[in-house]
Amino acid sequence: MVTIKDIAAMANVSRSTVSRVLNNSGYVSEEARKRVEEVIEQTGYVPSGYAKSLRTKQTKVIGVILPTIQTETPSRVVTGLGRELSKHGYQILLANTDHDKEKELEYLDLLVRQVDGIVLIATNTEPEIMEKIKSIPLPLVMIGQETEKVMCVTYDDYHVAREITAFLIQKGHRRIGFIGVDETDRAVGYMRKKGFFDEMEAHHLAVEEAWVEKCVFDIYSGHEAMKNILNRSIQQPTAVFAVTDRLAIGAMSYLKEQGFEIPQDMALVGIGASELSQYVDPPLTTVDYKNETAGEEAAKQLLAHIQGQEFQKKLVLDYRLIIRDSV
Amino acid sequence: MVTIKDIAAMANVSRSTVSRVLNNSGYVSEEARKRVEEVIEQTGYVPSGYAKSLRTKQTKVIGVILPTIQTETPSRVVTGLGRELSKHGYQILLANTDHDKEKELEYLDLLVRQVDGIVLIATNTEPEIMEKIKSIPLPLVMIGQETEKVMCVTYDDYHVAREITAFLIQKGHRRIGFIGVDETDRAVGYMRKKGFFDEMEAHHLAVEEAWVEKCVFDIYSGHEAMKNILNRSIQQPTAVFAVTDRLAIGAMSYLKEQGFEIPQDMALVGIGASELSQYVDPPLTTVDYKNETAGEEAAKQLLAHIQGQEFQKKLVLDYRLIIRDSV
DNA sequence: CTGTTAGCGCATTCAA
DNA sequence: TTGAATGCGCTAACAG
C-alpha cells in the first residue's frame, strides 16, 4: 500500500509538504504542489483514514443506530442523513439493533470510540437506555423521541393525533376506535394516544374500551387488532385511528376480508405517508412526517454541534395531513 | 480520553499485558488479568478502533454501496448483511449513491482505505464502473448482478422469468404483455426480459410490440406503462408480467382506475415479494428472492475471503414462486 | 508469564 | 516556503 512516505519520496519533498497539499494547509510553493499532485494522480494514492483519525481525533464518521432499516421511516431518515452528511465529507456507520435493547447498549459503547457523533432513530426511551445515552461523551441526536438533556429532532405527535382525530370528528364520526402501540414508545405509543383521547374528550365523545387495541409495529398486528375490536364491541365504531400506516393497512385488510366497505362502513386513518398508503384500496388518509427532512436537519444540527457552532437543542418538525379516500 | 496507557498504569502492569487481556492473546496470569479487567470495568475503557486498525491493518468494517435504501430489496439485503457481519464483529459503513454513477466511483475510491471488504448492491454493470471495481485491491462482492472476475451472489433471473411466464401460459394466457426496465441493468432488465421472450417463443406465442414497455424503478412508472400498453394495443393482452412488484402495483393501480377486474380482465405478476404485494387488492402473485439470505450469504463468502479461507466465487440463490390472486 | 521497544501513517509544532 | 522531529493509541516481536 502506498503511503504518504512514498509520495514524498517520489515527489522529492518531505512528508510534511505532502501533508500540506493534501490538506490545503500552510504554505506550499506552486512547483512543489504540482509535483506532489502529479505523483498522487499517478499512483492513485488515497490517505489512510485511520492514521489520520488517530492523529486528528476526528473520524469523519457518524454512527447511526436504528431498530430496523426495513420500514420506511428509518430508511427515509437515513437517506436524509446520508445526503446532508456526505456534503460535508462525513460517512455513516450503520448499527442495526434489530429491536434488541442489549445490542443498542453494546453499539452505544462500541461506537463511542469510532465516530464523531451518534444519531439514534426511533429508540425506545426506557431509563436504562437513557442513562447510557446521557453518559455518551459525544454529540448525539435522537430522532423521533423527545427527551430531556438530549438533543433531538421530533414531530409534534400529540398535535398530529389531535388534528387527525378532529378531522374524523368533523367528518361526522362520533364513535372512533384506536389502534396504538405500547406506551413505552413515548412518541408513537404515548403522545399519539394522549392526543387522540384529549381531542375526543374535548368534544365530549366517549371511547369505549372495546374500541382500543395495542399492537406491535407490523401489518399483521393491525389486522388482528381490527378483528378484536369488531368481535368485542357491542356497538361498533364508525372510524378507527391507527397510529401508523402499517397498522391501518392491516386493519384495512381485515375489514375487506369481512366485506366492509371503506369508508362507508368504517373510516380509517394512519400516520406516516408510507408508499403503501397510496396504493391500497382505497388510498389511505394519513400524515406526512417528511422523514428525509428530519434526517437532514438532524445531520445539520449534529454537525454544527461537532464543529462547535451554535445548534438547536430541540427541533420540532412540520407535518402535513394527506386527505385521501379512506375517510 | 482514557487510553491503554492509563489502564496499564492503574493496574500496575505494562501496556502489552493490557493488550493481551483485551485480545485474549498470549499468556496472562489470572491475577494480572483480574486487575486489568477491574480497572477496565471501573473506567469504562473502550480501545480506540482506529489506533488498532492502524496497527493491525484491519478495520473490521465492511463498506456497503447501494443506489438507495428506500426500496425493499436493498434494505433487506443490508439487514441480512448486518446480521451476519455483526456475528463476527464487523460493522457496516453505508454509502448511498442515490443512483449517481459518479458518486459510486468516488465511494469506491474512498472506501478502499477504510474497510476490509466491499459489498455492492444492485449496481449497474457498465464498463466504467466494472473497470473501477476490478481495480479495487480488496475483497469485494456484488449482490444481484452476475459478472466475470468479480465475486457475486445472484439470483437466477433468467429462469425465474421463464418460470413465471410458463405459469401464466399454463393458466391459459396466450397474449402476455411485459413491463421491464432498461437492459443496461443486466439482471433485472436483460435477463428477465430474455427469460420472458424465450419462454413465449418456446410455446410459439407471439409478443406484440405494443405490449412491451420499458420503465424506471418506481410505482408510477408501472402505472404509465400499463396506460401505454392499453392505449396502444389493437388486441390487448390478457396478462402482464412486470419485472418488479412496484411496477406491477403501478400497473394494477391504472387497471383499477380504468375499471378492470383483476385477474378476470387482466392477470398480473411481479417479482420481489414486497410487503406491498400482499396487501394490494388482489394480492399479487410474485417471486420471493429471499434478499436477507442473499445478504447473509454474501457476508459469509466475503468474510471467508477476507480471512483467507475458501469461498464461493459465484453463488446463485434459490427463489420461490408465491401464487396469490392476481392471476 | 511480563515488560521494553518499535512502528503503523499521518498532522503538527518548531527551526531553519 | 520547507523539513526534521514528535507522538496519536495500539499490537507484536523480542528479550527477559
Side-chain angles (χ1 to χ4, degrees):
Chain A
M1 190 91 289
V2 35
T3 73
I4 197 172
K5 206 172 149 189
D6 304 318
I7 303 294
M10 295 172 74
N12 256 308
V13 294
S14 71
R15 289 166 351 202
S16 334
T17 301
V18 178
S19 177
R20 287 191 193 99
V21 348
L22 246 27
N23 300 294
N24 246 304
S25 65
Y27 299 99
V28 177
S29 67
E30 259 323 302
E31 204 189 353
R33 150 163 288 122
K34 211 173 142 192
R35 281 211 309 283
V36 170
E37 281 170 346
E38 262 169 24
V39 175
I40 288 179
E41 174 75 14
Q42 283 166 30
T43 54
Y45 165 72
V46 180
S48 154
Y50 35 87
K52 191 168 178 165
S53 294
L54 180 57
R55 191 58 235 257
T56 61
K57 306 291 166 212
Q58 274 201 60
T59 63
K60 290 282 195 172
V61 173
I62 300 296
V64 176
I65 302 181
L66 35 69
T68 172
I69 194 148
Q70 301 217 41
T71 51
E72 284 179 86
T73 298
S75 66
R76 286 171 175 174
V77 171
V78 169
T79 300
L81 283 170
R83 179 155 46 231
E84 186 63 25
L85 290 176
S86 70
K87 277 185 202 164
H88 303 271
Y90 280 77
Q91 300 183 76
I92 289 180
L93 195 62
L94 195 73
N96 187 335
T97 67
D98 202 15
H99 292 97
D100 180 340
K101 193 180 79 182
E102 291 309 318
K103 273 198 182 173
E104 179 154 5
L105 260 12
E106 276 172 37
Y107 276 130
L108 244 11
D109 273 331
L110 187 62
L111 290 181
V112 166
R113 297 288 245 120
Q114 313 201 29
V115 300
D116 294 343
I118 294 183
V119 178
L120 250 21
I121 302 177
T123 328
N124 64 51
T125 51
E126 50 182 293
E128 195 180 351
I129 303 232
M130 287 311 300
E131 204 145 324
K132 170 65 81 181
I133 289 175
K134 281 176 200 156
S135 78
I136 299 289
L138 236 45
L140 180 152
V141 56
M142 290 191 71
I143 299 181
Q145 296 284 358
E146 160 121 34
T147 61
E148 287 305 306
K149 297 195 194 167
V150 175
M151 189 175 158
C152 47
V153 173
T154 55
Y155 307 99
D156 192 347
D157 286 289
Y158 176 74
H159 286 104
V160 166
R162 287 200 70 146
E163 185 171 331
I164 213 163
T165 307
F167 173 71
L168 252 17
I169 294 170
Q170 176 216 318
K171 285 287 182 181
H173 295 282
R174 294 292 171 268
R175 302 194 305 279
I176 306 179
F178 180 82
I179 298 178
V181 299
D182 197 275
E183 294 182 33
T184 51
D185 183 325
R186 193 162 167 84
V188 183
Y190 178 75
M191 296 307 277
R192 295 186 191 175
K193 183 171 185 177
K194 183 159 167 43
F196 167 72
F197 276 94
D198 284 1
E199 188 66 21
M200 289 296 276
E201 195 179 330
H203 290 261
H204 310 293
L205 262 19
V207 180
E208 294 197 10
E209 240 177 73
W211 304 342
V212 178
E213 273 285 310
K214 187 169 79 182
C215 289
V216 296
F217 284 98
D218 65 27
I219 295 182
Y220 183 71
S221 188
H223 178 277
E224 295 303 293
M226 194 72 242
K227 183 196 290 183
N228 292 342
I229 290 176
L230 255 29
N231 288 345
R232 205 168 43 202
S233 302
I234 315 283
Q235 191 174 30
Q236 288 177 356
T238 65
V240 169
F241 170 19
V243 295
T244 75
D245 281 0
R246 292 159 69 85
L247 257 17
I249 285 162
M252 185 182 283
S253 76
Y254 182 75
L255 289 170
K256 286 201 213 165
E257 281 171 33
Q258 301 300 310
F260 276 68
E261 290 289 323
I262 300 168
Q264 298 87 327
D265 302 336
M266 184 75 75
L268 222 41
V269 298
I271 292 182
S274 65
E275 193 174 27
L276 220 71
S277 70
Q278 56 186 310
Y279 291 100
V280 288
D281 186 22
L284 186 68
T285 291
T286 182
V287 178
D288 183 5
Y289 265 10
K290 303 183 188 146
N291 304 110
E292 289 194 29
T293 307
E296 288 176 9
E297 279 305 324
K300 278 182 196 164
Q301 302 308 321
L302 188 65
L303 290 182
H305 190 174
I306 288 172
Q307 289 155 10
Q309 298 161 14
E310 219 169 299
F311 63 91
Q312 297 274 336
K313 200 147 165 39
K314 306 282 170 205
L315 202 57
V316 178
L317 262 31
D318 217 13
Y319 59 88
R320 189 170 56 95
L321 182 60
I322 301 179
I323 298 175
R324 294 201 279 241
D325 308 334
S326 68
V327 176
Chain B
M1 190 92 290
V2 34
T3 73
I4 197 172
K5 205 171 150 190
D6 304 319
I7 304 296
M10 295 172 74
N12 255 308
V13 293
S14 71
R15 286 160 5 202
S16 341
T17 302
V18 177
S19 178
R20 287 190 193 99
V21 349
L22 245 26
N23 300 292
N24 247 304
S25 63
Y27 298 101
V28 178
S29 67
E30 258 324 300
E31 206 188 351
R33 149 163 290 123
K34 210 172 140 193
R35 280 212 309 282
V36 170
E37 281 170 346
E38 263 170 21
V39 176
I40 289 179
E41 173 73 15
Q42 284 167 29
T43 55
Y45 165 72
V46 180
S48 154
Y50 35 87
K52 190 169 177 165
S53 294
L54 182 58
R55 194 55 239 254
T56 60
K57 306 292 166 208
Q58 275 201 61
T59 64
K60 289 281 194 172
V61 173
I62 300 296
V64 176
I65 301 180
L66 36 67
T68 172
I69 194 148
Q70 301 216 41
T71 50
E72 284 178 87
T73 299
S75 67
R76 287 172 174 172
V77 171
V78 169
T79 300
L81 282 169
R83 180 153 48 229
E84 185 63 27
L85 291 176
S86 70
K87 277 186 203 163
H88 303 271
Y90 279 78
Q91 299 184 76
I92 289 180
L93 195 61
L94 195 72
N96 187 336
T97 67
D98 202 16
H99 291 98
D100 181 340
K101 192 180 81 181
E102 290 310 317
K103 272 197 182 172
E104 180 154 7
L105 260 13
E106 275 172 39
Y107 276 131
L108 244 10
D109 273 330
L110 187 62
L111 290 181
V112 166
R113 298 288 244 120
Q114 314 202 28
V115 301
D116 294 343
I118 294 182
V119 178
L120 249 22
I121 302 176
T123 328
N124 63 52
T125 50
E126 50 182 295
E128 195 179 354
I129 303 231
M130 287 312 299
E131 206 146 322
K132 169 66 81 183
I133 289 174
K134 281 175 198 157
S135 78
I136 301 289
L138 234 49
L140 180 154
V141 57
M142 290 190 70
I143 299 182
Q145 296 284 358
E146 158 122 34
T147 59
E148 289 304 307
K149 298 193 192 167
V150 175
M151 189 174 158
C152 48
V153 173
T154 55
Y155 307 98
D156 191 347
D157 286 289
Y158 176 73
H159 285 103
V160 166
R162 288 199 68 146
E163 184 170 332
I164 213 163
T165 307
F167 173 70
L168 251 18
I169 294 171
Q170 177 216 318
K171 283 290 183 178
H173 295 282
R174 294 293 170 266
R175 300 194 306 278
I176 306 179
F178 180 82
I179 298 179
V181 297
D182 196 275
E183 294 182 31
T184 52
D185 183 324
R186 194 164 165 80
V188 183
Y190 179 75
M191 296 308 278
R192 294 186 191 174
K193 183 171 185 179
K194 183 160 166 45
F196 167 71
F197 276 93
D198 284 2
E199 188 67 20
M200 289 298 274
E201 194 179 330
H203 289 262
H204 310 293
L205 260 21
V207 181
E208 293 196 10
E209 240 177 70
W211 303 344
V212 179
E213 273 285 311
K214 187 168 81 184
C215 289
V216 297
F217 285 96
D218 65 27
I219 295 181
Y220 183 70
S221 188
H223 178 277
E224 294 304 292
M226 194 71 239
K227 183 196 290 184
N228 292 341
I229 290 175
L230 255 29
N231 288 344
R232 203 167 46 200
S233 302
I234 314 285
Q235 191 173 31
Q236 287 178 357
T238 63
V240 168
F241 169 19
V243 296
T244 75
D245 280 0
R246 290 157 71 85
L247 259 17
I249 285 161
M252 184 182 283
S253 76
Y254 182 75
L255 290 170
K256 286 202 211 161
E257 280 171 34
Q258 300 300 312
F260 277 67
E261 291 289 323
I262 301 168
Q264 299 87 327
D265 303 334
M266 185 74 75
L268 221 42
V269 298
I271 293 182
S274 65
E275 192 174 28
L276 222 69
S277 70
Q278 56 186 310
Y279 290 101
V280 288
D281 187 23
L284 186 68
T285 290
T286 183
V287 179
D288 183 6
Y289 265 10
K290 301 181 190 150
N291 306 107
E292 289 194 31
T293 308
E296 288 176 8
E297 280 304 323
K300 277 182 198 166
Q301 301 308 321
L302 189 66
L303 290 182
H305 190 173
I306 289 171
Q307 288 156 10
Q309 297 162 14
E310 220 169 299
F311 63 93
Q312 298 274 336
K313 198 146 168 39
K314 305 284 168 202
L315 203 57
V316 179
L317 260 32
D318 217 11
Y319 60 87
R320 190 170 56 95
L321 182 60
I322 302 178
I323 297 174
R324 295 202 277 241
D325 307 334
S326 68
V327 176

